[in-house]
Amino acid sequence: MNTTGRPIVILIADDDTEDRQLTSDALDESRLRNELYMVNDGEELMQYLRHQGRYEDPAAAPRPGLILLDLAMPKKDGREALAEIKNDPDLRQIPVIVMTTSSAEEDICRSYDLGASSYVTKPVSFAALVEVMKGIGRYWFEIVELPS
Amino acid sequence: MTGRELAGSLYAASIVDTVREPLLLLSNDLRVVTANAAFLKTFGAPAAQVEGRYLHDIGGGEWHVPELRRLLEEMLPADAELRDFEIEVGPGTPGQRTFLLNAKRLEQRDSEVHLILLAFEDVTERRRLEHALRAAMAELERSNQELEGFASIASHDLQEPLRKILAFGERLASVSEGHLPDKGRDYLGRMTAAAARMQTLINDVLSLSRVSTRREAWRPVDLNTVVAGVVSDLENTLLKTGGCVDIGSLPTVAADPTQMRQLFQNLISNGLKFCSGRTPQVRITATACGLGPADRAGAAAQTAWQIVVADNGIGFEPRYAERIFRPFERLHAREAYEGTGIGLALCRRIVQNHGGTITADAVPGSGARFVIHLPTPLKERA
């Protein structure tokens, strides 16, 4: 349960503009009260989390309570970023949900192996995406305790 | 020597000189006593340059192979034999050859002199071909990996725009609820359905390419278990159609288990799908066949399994019997039966991978039979 009452920050890492838009719309539609931040690739993701580059100001890059991570991204892909996050003592408590188009066995195993909390294959239909977001909201923000 | 001994000796000498394989007779101290005609011919050296010389001194020292010398020297007192010893003669020279060598100490009665017989088999060409084969297979493996990588990436990148068409098509339909005329909704529906079909097509092409690039090592596969698994997967279809699958006693074969599963999955689901008004029935039977020539014990050697998957469905015109195995070949309109037409192409490729054949025959309106021949033992196709 989110006891502080402040909306939990969700950080979406996805290189695809439209997918980011669809995810954001789906989150709206599922009526999750969250602040949404987006990054384009693995490099930006790490810069955001470490407050480097254009994310130096912590106010511009609040620490996320949850990361939705795409695997296939340019410059630094999701797998690399995931490994870095889970090896960083400062960042590894943040739950990472891998949200990607691939349903390949190797990707699933590898993601959990690297420390992902969950693996979700992006549904094709928008309605299904909304349901997924509702599910994520119910599980991660109502049932589960997140580290503060 | 006595007359008989002389005759015997001539007899032996004739044999030695007539055989096609190089032979050398060495003395105790590893000097060449006799080199047969085949040896002289192989090494292009006249007898004078070979006989009487130490083995390791012959020619340009090509026969100076320390390990061989050591083994021969060890053999002398031990009365031992040397078999299948592989040596490189003249390594690094244009005349480099590889030989398999047998050596044996010959007893000579009433004599202190012991002879060593060396028999050579030139395996240079064989080794060269083996090497070339290994190189070709490595290249094939590399090429397959590349193809697999390409196929994966291509399908992933091709799927992305389709996902967008489907996702935004759906959003369009929902935001324009009530505002879109019937024709508009119809067109939108057709567009998204087409995009969904393309997704399936891409997946099917990927499956077909993977039959060649993703192959597991063969192991014994009990086809009864495979078919039982497929039937279990198709449980819903069977319940819905009231159909049944009748399985005879099937053999255990050495095969790629995943591909065997795919093979029967496609054949059985086809049998259930292309049904006429009747309750669909699929029968699978296996018979040993291709009895080869009987061996010594009198048992005829089985050379193949014939496995038949037969149904009581709509069948097809016999003139289409080969066409149906082509990728994406469909005999019916899309609306009549779902599917992209990849199933039988997949089956054929799988059966070919296992060195076998698959053919089909049918009576239109009565049913179809798919006949698979799998050779035993299965010859793996590179």
Short mmCIF file of all heavy atoms in Angstrom, two decimals, chain B residues 188-231:
data_model
loop_
_atom_site.label_atom_id
_atom_site.label_comp_id
_atom_site.label_asym_id
_atom_site.label_seq_id
_atom_site.Cartn_x
_atom_site.Cartn_y
_atom_site.Cartn_z
N LEU B 188 -12.21 -0.42 -41.87
CA LEU B 188 -11.29 -0.48 -40.74
C LEU B 188 -11.11 -1.93 -40.28
O LEU B 188 -10.00 -2.39 -40.04
CB LEU B 188 -11.84 0.37 -39.59
CG LEU B 188 -10.93 0.59 -38.39
CD1 LEU B 188 -9.58 1.14 -38.82
CD2 LEU B 188 -11.59 1.53 -37.41
N GLY B 189 -12.23 -2.64 -40.20
CA GLY B 189 -12.18 -4.03 -39.80
C GLY B 189 -11.33 -4.87 -40.76
O GLY B 189 -10.51 -5.69 -40.35
N ARG B 190 -11.50 -4.61 -42.06
CA ARG B 190 -10.72 -5.37 -43.04
C ARG B 190 -9.23 -5.08 -42.91
O ARG B 190 -8.39 -5.96 -43.05
CB ARG B 190 -11.18 -5.03 -44.45
CG ARG B 190 -12.48 -5.67 -44.81
CD ARG B 190 -12.96 -5.11 -46.16
NE ARG B 190 -14.36 -5.38 -46.35
CZ ARG B 190 -14.83 -6.46 -46.99
NH1 ARG B 190 -13.99 -7.35 -47.47
NH2 ARG B 190 -16.13 -6.63 -47.13
N MET B 191 -8.90 -3.80 -42.68
CA MET B 191 -7.49 -3.41 -42.56
C MET B 191 -6.84 -4.12 -41.39
O MET B 191 -5.76 -4.68 -41.51
CB MET B 191 -7.36 -1.91 -42.33
CG MET B 191 -7.37 -1.08 -43.58
SD MET B 191 -7.58 0.67 -43.18
CE MET B 191 -6.25 0.90 -42.03
N THR B 192 -7.51 -4.09 -40.24
CA THR B 192 -6.88 -4.70 -39.06
C THR B 192 -6.83 -6.22 -39.21
O THR B 192 -5.86 -6.85 -38.80
CB THR B 192 -7.60 -4.32 -37.75
OG1 THR B 192 -9.00 -4.50 -37.94
CG2 THR B 192 -7.34 -2.90 -37.37
N ALA B 193 -7.85 -6.80 -39.85
CA ALA B 193 -7.80 -8.24 -40.07
C ALA B 193 -6.63 -8.61 -40.97
O ALA B 193 -5.94 -9.62 -40.77
CB ALA B 193 -9.11 -8.72 -40.70
N ALA B 194 -6.38 -7.77 -41.99
CA ALA B 194 -5.26 -8.03 -42.90
C ALA B 194 -3.93 -7.94 -42.16
O ALA B 194 -3.03 -8.76 -42.38
CB ALA B 194 -5.28 -7.04 -44.07
N ALA B 195 -3.81 -6.95 -41.29
CA ALA B 195 -2.59 -6.80 -40.52
C ALA B 195 -2.37 -8.01 -39.62
O ALA B 195 -1.25 -8.52 -39.49
CB ALA B 195 -2.64 -5.52 -39.67
N ALA B 196 -3.45 -8.51 -39.03
CA ALA B 196 -3.34 -9.69 -38.17
C ALA B 196 -2.90 -10.90 -38.98
O ALA B 196 -2.08 -11.71 -38.55
CB ALA B 196 -4.68 -9.97 -37.49
N ARG B 197 -3.40 -10.99 -40.22
CA ARG B 197 -3.00 -12.12 -41.08
C ARG B 197 -1.52 -12.03 -41.39
O ARG B 197 -0.82 -13.03 -41.43
CB ARG B 197 -3.78 -12.09 -42.39
CG ARG B 197 -5.10 -12.77 -42.32
CD ARG B 197 -5.57 -13.21 -43.68
NE ARG B 197 -5.56 -12.12 -44.67
CZ ARG B 197 -6.47 -11.17 -44.73
NH1 ARG B 197 -7.45 -11.15 -43.85
NH2 ARG B 197 -6.39 -10.24 -45.66
N MET B 198 -1.06 -10.81 -41.63
CA MET B 198 0.36 -10.65 -41.95
C MET B 198 1.22 -11.09 -40.77
O MET B 198 2.27 -11.69 -40.95
CB MET B 198 0.65 -9.19 -42.29
CG MET B 198 2.10 -8.98 -42.58
SD MET B 198 2.35 -8.09 -44.10
CE MET B 198 4.12 -8.15 -44.17
N GLN B 199 0.78 -10.79 -39.55
CA GLN B 199 1.52 -11.23 -38.37
C GLN B 199 1.69 -12.74 -38.38
O GLN B 199 2.77 -13.27 -38.11
CB GLN B 199 0.77 -10.84 -37.10
CG GLN B 199 1.03 -9.45 -36.65
CD GLN B 199 0.60 -9.25 -35.22
OE1 GLN B 199 -0.38 -9.84 -34.79
NE2 GLN B 199 1.31 -8.43 -34.50
N THR B 200 0.58 -13.42 -38.68
CA THR B 200 0.63 -14.89 -38.71
C THR B 200 1.55 -15.38 -39.81
O THR B 200 2.33 -16.32 -39.62
CB THR B 200 -0.78 -15.47 -38.94
OG1 THR B 200 -1.69 -14.80 -38.07
CG2 THR B 200 -0.81 -16.95 -38.69
N LEU B 201 1.51 -14.72 -40.96
CA LEU B 201 2.37 -15.11 -42.07
C LEU B 201 3.84 -14.99 -41.69
O LEU B 201 4.64 -15.88 -41.97
CB LEU B 201 2.10 -14.23 -43.29
CG LEU B 201 0.92 -14.64 -44.16
CD1 LEU B 201 0.59 -13.53 -45.14
CD2 LEU B 201 1.24 -15.90 -44.92
N ILE B 202 4.18 -13.87 -41.05
CA ILE B 202 5.57 -13.67 -40.65
C ILE B 202 6.00 -14.76 -39.68
O ILE B 202 7.09 -15.34 -39.80
CB ILE B 202 5.77 -12.28 -40.01
CG1 ILE B 202 5.60 -11.20 -41.08
CG2 ILE B 202 7.14 -12.15 -39.37
CD1 ILE B 202 5.60 -9.79 -40.52
N ASN B 203 5.14 -15.06 -38.73
CA ASN B 203 5.46 -16.13 -37.77
C ASN B 203 5.64 -17.46 -38.47
O ASN B 203 6.50 -18.25 -38.11
CB ASN B 203 4.38 -16.24 -36.71
CG ASN B 203 4.47 -15.13 -35.69
OD1 ASN B 203 5.56 -14.61 -35.44
ND2 ASN B 203 3.35 -14.74 -35.12
N ASP B 204 4.81 -17.69 -39.48
CA ASP B 204 4.90 -18.96 -40.20
C ASP B 204 6.20 -19.06 -40.99
O ASP B 204 6.83 -20.12 -41.04
CB ASP B 204 3.70 -19.12 -41.16
CG ASP B 204 2.44 -19.52 -40.41
OD1 ASP B 204 2.56 -19.84 -39.22
OD2 ASP B 204 1.37 -19.51 -41.02
N VAL B 205 6.61 -17.96 -41.63
CA VAL B 205 7.86 -17.97 -42.38
C VAL B 205 9.02 -18.25 -41.42
O VAL B 205 9.93 -19.02 -41.70
CB VAL B 205 8.10 -16.63 -43.11
CG1 VAL B 205 9.52 -16.56 -43.66
CG2 VAL B 205 7.12 -16.48 -44.25
N LEU B 206 8.94 -17.62 -40.25
CA LEU B 206 9.96 -17.84 -39.24
C LEU B 206 9.99 -19.30 -38.81
O LEU B 206 11.06 -19.91 -38.70
CB LEU B 206 9.68 -16.93 -38.04
CG LEU B 206 10.80 -16.76 -37.02
CD1 LEU B 206 12.02 -16.14 -37.67
CD2 LEU B 206 10.33 -15.90 -35.87
N SER B 207 8.80 -19.89 -38.59
CA SER B 207 8.74 -21.31 -38.21
C SER B 207 9.38 -22.18 -39.26
O SER B 207 10.13 -23.11 -38.95
CB SER B 207 7.29 -21.78 -38.05
OG SER B 207 6.68 -21.11 -37.02
N LEU B 208 9.08 -21.89 -40.52
CA LEU B 208 9.60 -22.70 -41.60
C LEU B 208 11.13 -22.60 -41.66
O LEU B 208 11.82 -23.60 -41.82
CB LEU B 208 9.00 -22.25 -42.94
CG LEU B 208 9.19 -23.19 -44.12
CD1 LEU B 208 8.62 -24.56 -43.81
CD2 LEU B 208 8.53 -22.61 -45.36
N SER B 209 11.65 -21.39 -41.48
CA SER B 209 13.10 -21.25 -41.56
C SER B 209 13.75 -21.92 -40.35
O SER B 209 14.84 -22.47 -40.44
CB SER B 209 13.50 -19.78 -41.67
OG SER B 209 13.96 -19.27 -40.46
N ARG B 210 13.05 -21.92 -39.23
CA ARG B 210 13.62 -22.51 -38.02
C ARG B 210 13.70 -24.02 -38.08
O ARG B 210 14.50 -24.63 -37.37
CB ARG B 210 12.83 -22.08 -36.80
CG ARG B 210 13.25 -20.72 -36.36
CD ARG B 210 12.65 -20.29 -35.09
NE ARG B 210 13.32 -19.07 -34.67
CZ ARG B 210 12.78 -18.15 -33.93
NH1 ARG B 210 11.54 -18.30 -33.51
NH2 ARG B 210 13.47 -17.08 -33.60
N VAL B 211 12.86 -24.63 -38.91
CA VAL B 211 12.95 -26.09 -39.04
C VAL B 211 14.34 -26.45 -39.53
O VAL B 211 14.91 -27.48 -39.15
CB VAL B 211 11.87 -26.63 -40.01
CG1 VAL B 211 12.14 -28.07 -40.37
CG2 VAL B 211 10.51 -26.51 -39.39
N SER B 212 14.92 -25.58 -40.37
CA SER B 212 16.26 -25.85 -40.87
C SER B 212 17.36 -25.35 -39.94
O SER B 212 18.40 -25.98 -39.82
CB SER B 212 16.46 -25.19 -42.24
OG SER B 212 15.47 -25.61 -43.13
N THR B 213 17.13 -24.19 -39.31
CA THR B 213 18.23 -23.62 -38.53
C THR B 213 18.23 -24.02 -37.07
O THR B 213 19.28 -24.01 -36.43
CB THR B 213 18.20 -22.07 -38.58
OG1 THR B 213 16.95 -21.62 -38.07
CG2 THR B 213 18.37 -21.56 -40.00
N ARG B 214 17.07 -24.35 -36.54
CA ARG B 214 17.04 -24.71 -35.11
C ARG B 214 16.82 -26.19 -35.00
O ARG B 214 15.69 -26.65 -34.97
CB ARG B 214 15.90 -23.97 -34.40
CG ARG B 214 16.31 -22.67 -33.85
CD ARG B 214 15.33 -22.17 -32.85
NE ARG B 214 15.60 -20.79 -32.54
CZ ARG B 214 14.89 -20.06 -31.71
NH1 ARG B 214 13.86 -20.59 -31.13
NH2 ARG B 214 15.22 -18.82 -31.49
N ARG B 215 17.89 -26.94 -34.93
CA ARG B 215 17.71 -28.38 -34.85
C ARG B 215 18.38 -28.93 -33.62
O ARG B 215 19.53 -28.64 -33.35
CB ARG B 215 18.28 -29.03 -36.11
CG ARG B 215 17.43 -28.67 -37.33
CD ARG B 215 18.20 -28.77 -38.62
NE ARG B 215 18.53 -30.16 -38.93
CZ ARG B 215 19.07 -30.52 -40.09
NH1 ARG B 215 19.33 -29.64 -41.00
NH2 ARG B 215 19.35 -31.78 -40.32
N GLU B 216 17.64 -29.73 -32.90
CA GLU B 216 18.20 -30.36 -31.71
C GLU B 216 18.90 -31.65 -32.10
O GLU B 216 18.60 -32.24 -33.12
CB GLU B 216 17.09 -30.74 -30.73
CG GLU B 216 16.46 -29.58 -30.00
CD GLU B 216 15.19 -30.01 -29.29
OE1 GLU B 216 15.22 -31.09 -28.64
OE2 GLU B 216 14.19 -29.31 -29.38
N ALA B 217 19.79 -32.09 -31.23
CA ALA B 217 20.45 -33.39 -31.46
C ALA B 217 19.39 -34.48 -31.40
O ALA B 217 18.43 -34.40 -30.63
CB ALA B 217 21.51 -33.62 -30.40
N TRP B 218 19.58 -35.49 -32.24
CA TRP B 218 18.60 -36.57 -32.24
C TRP B 218 18.72 -37.42 -30.99
O TRP B 218 19.82 -37.67 -30.51
CB TRP B 218 18.82 -37.47 -33.45
CG TRP B 218 18.43 -36.82 -34.72
CD1 TRP B 218 18.02 -35.52 -34.90
CD2 TRP B 218 18.40 -37.42 -36.00
NE1 TRP B 218 17.76 -35.29 -36.21
CE2 TRP B 218 17.96 -36.44 -36.91
CE3 TRP B 218 18.70 -38.69 -36.46
CZ2 TRP B 218 17.82 -36.71 -38.27
CZ3 TRP B 218 18.55 -38.95 -37.82
CH2 TRP B 218 18.12 -37.97 -38.70
N ARG B 219 17.56 -37.85 -30.49
CA ARG B 219 17.58 -38.86 -29.44
C ARG B 219 16.38 -39.78 -29.64
O ARG B 219 15.50 -39.45 -30.44
CB ARG B 219 17.57 -38.22 -28.06
CG ARG B 219 16.58 -37.11 -27.83
CD ARG B 219 16.80 -36.59 -26.41
NE ARG B 219 15.71 -35.77 -25.97
CZ ARG B 219 15.65 -34.45 -26.13
NH1 ARG B 219 16.62 -33.82 -26.73
NH2 ARG B 219 14.61 -33.76 -25.70
N PRO B 220 16.35 -40.88 -28.94
CA PRO B 220 15.21 -41.79 -29.15
C PRO B 220 13.91 -41.12 -28.76
O PRO B 220 13.79 -40.59 -27.66
CB PRO B 220 15.52 -42.96 -28.20
CG PRO B 220 16.95 -42.86 -27.89
CD PRO B 220 17.33 -41.42 -28.01
N VAL B 221 12.97 -41.08 -29.68
CA VAL B 221 11.70 -40.43 -29.44
C VAL B 221 10.59 -41.46 -29.61
O VAL B 221 10.45 -42.06 -30.68
CB VAL B 221 11.48 -39.26 -30.45
CG1 VAL B 221 10.11 -38.63 -30.24
CG2 VAL B 221 12.57 -38.22 -30.27
N ASP B 222 9.81 -41.66 -28.56
CA ASP B 222 8.70 -42.59 -28.64
C ASP B 222 7.52 -41.85 -29.27
O ASP B 222 6.94 -40.95 -28.67
CB ASP B 222 8.34 -43.07 -27.23
CG ASP B 222 7.18 -44.08 -27.23
OD1 ASP B 222 6.60 -44.31 -28.32
OD2 ASP B 222 6.87 -44.61 -26.17
N LEU B 223 7.20 -42.22 -30.50
CA LEU B 223 6.16 -41.49 -31.22
C LEU B 223 4.79 -41.63 -30.55
O LEU B 223 3.92 -40.78 -30.74
CB LEU B 223 6.09 -41.94 -32.68
CG LEU B 223 7.34 -41.57 -33.50
CD1 LEU B 223 7.20 -42.05 -34.94
CD2 LEU B 223 7.58 -40.07 -33.48
N ASN B 224 4.59 -42.68 -29.78
CA ASN B 224 3.32 -42.81 -29.05
C ASN B 224 3.16 -41.66 -28.07
O ASN B 224 2.08 -41.07 -27.94
CB ASN B 224 3.26 -44.15 -28.29
CG ASN B 224 3.32 -45.33 -29.21
OD1 ASN B 224 2.41 -45.55 -29.99
ND2 ASN B 224 4.41 -46.06 -29.15
N THR B 225 4.25 -41.35 -27.37
CA THR B 225 4.22 -40.25 -26.40
C THR B 225 4.00 -38.92 -27.12
O THR B 225 3.23 -38.08 -26.66
CB THR B 225 5.56 -40.18 -25.63
OG1 THR B 225 5.94 -41.48 -25.25
CG2 THR B 225 5.43 -39.28 -24.42
N VAL B 226 4.68 -38.75 -28.25
CA VAL B 226 4.55 -37.51 -29.02
C VAL B 226 3.09 -37.30 -29.42
O VAL B 226 2.51 -36.24 -29.20
CB VAL B 226 5.44 -37.54 -30.28
CG1 VAL B 226 5.11 -36.39 -31.21
CG2 VAL B 226 6.91 -37.50 -29.90
N VAL B 227 2.49 -38.34 -30.01
CA VAL B 227 1.12 -38.20 -30.49
C VAL B 227 0.16 -37.99 -29.33
O VAL B 227 -0.78 -37.18 -29.42
CB VAL B 227 0.71 -39.43 -31.34
CG1 VAL B 227 -0.75 -39.37 -31.70
CG2 VAL B 227 1.55 -39.48 -32.62
N ALA B 228 0.40 -38.68 -28.22
CA ALA B 228 -0.46 -38.49 -27.05
C ALA B 228 -0.40 -37.03 -26.59
O ALA B 228 -1.42 -36.44 -26.23
CB ALA B 228 -0.04 -39.43 -25.92
N GLY B 229 0.80 -36.46 -26.62
CA GLY B 229 0.96 -35.05 -26.24
C GLY B 229 0.19 -34.13 -27.17
O GLY B 229 -0.47 -33.18 -26.74
N VAL B 230 0.27 -34.40 -28.47
CA VAL B 230 -0.44 -33.58 -29.45
C VAL B 230 -1.94 -33.67 -29.23
O VAL B 230 -2.66 -32.67 -29.25
CB VAL B 230 -0.09 -34.03 -30.88
CG1 VAL B 230 -1.01 -33.38 -31.90
CG2 VAL B 230 1.36 -33.69 -31.21
N VAL B 231 -2.43 -34.88 -29.01
CA VAL B 231 -3.87 -35.10 -28.80
C VAL B 231 -4.33 -34.34 -27.57
O VAL B 231 -5.39 -33.71 -27.55
CB VAL B 231 -4.18 -36.60 -28.67
CG1 VAL B 231 -5.61 -36.82 -28.19
CG2 VAL B 231 -3.99 -37.30 -30.01
#
